[in-house]
Amino acid sequence: MPYELSKLRNIGISAHIDSGKTTLTERILYYTNRIHAIHEVRGKDGVGAKMDSMELERERGITIQSAATHTEWKGQHINIIDTPGHVDFTIEVERALRVLDGAILVLCGVAGVQSQSLTVDRQMRRYDVPRLAFVNKLDRQGANPFRVRRQLIEKLNHNAVMMQIPIGAEDQLKGVVDLVIMRALYFEGASGEIIREADIPAELVEQAEEYREELLDAVSMFSDELMEAILEETVTPEIIKAAVRRATISRQITPVFMGSAYKNKGVQPLLDAVCEYLPAPNEVSNIALDLDHEEAEVEIESDPEAPFIGLAFKLEEGRYGQLTYLRVYQGTLRKGDTIYNRRSGNKVKVGRLVRMHSDEMEDIEESSAGDIVATFGIDCRSGDTFTDGQVNYSMTSIYVPESVISYTITTKDSQATQNLSKALQRFSKEDPTFRISSDPETGDTIIAGMGELHLDVYIERMRREYKVPVETSPPRVAYRETITRAVDFNYTHKKQTGGSGQYGKVVGTIEPNDQSNYEFIDKIKGGNIPREFIPSVDKGFKSMLDKGRLIEAPVVGIRVRLVDGNSHSVDSSDVAFQEAARGAWREAYGRAAPCILEPIMRVDIEGPAEFHGQIVATIMQRRGIIIGSTEEEGFSKVESEVPLSEMFGYSTALRSGTQGKAEFTMEFSRYDRTPAQIADDLIAKHEAEKKAR
Ligand SMILES: Nc1nc2c(ncn2[C@@H]2O[C@H](COP(=O)(O)OP(=O)(O)OP(=O)(O)O)[C@@H](O)[C@H]2O)c(=O)[nH]1
Ligand SMILES: [Mg+2]
């Protein structure tokens, strides 16, 4: 049954690791009667939270895959996606934010804005997602929502506005003051399900007035009506809410809510806020590319009567075959409909349409613009656009980050080999950041991904779900090669073999290019190389980029300028010019001062201030540089950049240096030149390995 659009919310819950996203979602499901008992992440009852349905997630107490659910709150329908915090699974956040209309940015009340909050914030900006902030864990020692709000302003540049202030702190946290209605809210009953409204406690009245003033000041900028009401002293909660709503949807402010998911405080007002302040699907603009008109941008309408357009944003192997999550952007999708995949041109029939509730599902007959649903058995890749054939549009795609680390994997018996290939196919289809390839010399399978945790999770899943015991090489870093000097080339490829020969001559330059991985510029004048062979030259150069000459790493950052050449009326051909380009490359590459690039990671560490020295030492020992460090209330945060190759085994080193009291996060930052000594070592190692093969 379709919903009234204005009563639909599609929201994501995203944040740094362990800030309480899954715990918060569990409460939301409980208060909205979707589940009838609360189970904790890593809880003593061993059941685990609803949204962390995978066995591995429950064991480790972390979210690995995002999970979708839907629920109802005060007559509004809400689709929710709970996402993982670990940056290794960042693609899950990326694709969730791509299809959601609003988000809750959860922050730990003690740690505040952490490294992953920055990443998630960047992703939210990439897709223009309006957000509410929820400062969680206010029950913890040292929690302070005012400090977190300041960090939102200073570190994330948000116009963060307090919507509430806390009543009590730490283990004395009792509730919140709602600054819109100027009432105290207490959460009572066994699981905080009873909300008691009362007067603001006397000792908080002054503070509440101060922050309300601030709130009105901040949002009146976006509402003439509120401005007037303030002057005339006729402010009502409705006027404030309308102003907050407008400012939030246009991403001018981030309203800040607070509480403790674990202690069941502050969740229901957050749900109210989702309905009140985050946009309905028809209040955000969605852009598609018109494939019939050179990908011109067209705004699409959340209109159930318009032609159907949907985006497959996530795939998952389910009990009944491939489950495809779809965001319906326009029109209506009915069970039994035939739809077209815009990338492959294939047409598929929608046999089953379901609504997801974590790992459970509910069959539905139709779904219309704005909704998030899933279907079975339609073959596609994640990021594919489907239409009903009436329009030839594609939704702009999802940003997929590069993989930086790889393992070579092997398995013993042949039965396992078959299962392994099944597992690899499935995982790489579901997760675009999990890439497979094979070593051309040894034939071994190489898996590449975002980090050790990412790959380890897949290896563990091969073991559990496919009964494939795999052995892995030590992790390898994804090096690249590039050149640092522009050089000219002048190369003639000539071969005489019996009948017709091969002839092609190319003249030009290869030079460093910091704009793209490869660019080919054709400057041929006067037809010294016939038009039809220019693409052959391009192709020849391109074919050399898979493997550099130093350590056979992919070559990036190259620009080729072709300025002159020569041809022969009989002996010149496509192949001859490709060969000429390859010859020119081989000859020029060594002269162009090639070098090795390595991935540099952004590494952020947090721990008790007494370990500051040890934390810094772990970075210095690893060719790292410190780019920032703060100490606040006995808590030390160190921000650094370290080459990925130095980071293996880091968690053990950090644990032993800090008695297990520090934590770190690591994320790809950029590629940079390796120091000469390291490059020499890598080349020597590569030579030795080549000999051994
Ligand atoms: N004290 C306290 N602990 C909390 C609160 N919310 C969550 N936790 C605990 O923090 C830990 C992590 O909670 P999760 O809900 O799994 O966090 P998450 O953000 O989903 O974690 P990932 O999905 O792995 O990034 C669990 O042990 C929770 O019990 C809170 O409000 N107060
Ligand atoms: Mg989680």
Side-chain angles (χ1 to χ4, degrees), residues 367-380:
S367 142
S368 57
D371 212 354
I372 289 175
V373 290
T375 77
F376 277 102
I378 62 174
D379 182 43
C380 67

Side-chain angles (χ1 to χ4, degrees), residues 18-23 41 62-63 85 136-137 139 260-262:
D18 260 6
S19 48
K21 298 173 288 296
T22 303
T23 306
V41 173
I62 59 169
T63 304
N136 189 32
K137 302 200 182 182
D139 58 300
S260 161
Y262 187 65

Side-chain angles (χ1 to χ4, degrees), residues 116-134:
Q116 275 303 97
S117 331
L118 292 157
T119 310
V120 168
D121 185 64
R122 210 177 317 127
Q123 291 172 310
M124 291 180 182
R125 281 176 207 262
R126 178 146 54 228
Y127 301 108
D128 292 339
V129 178
R131 55 267 215 232
L132 309 177
F134 182 69

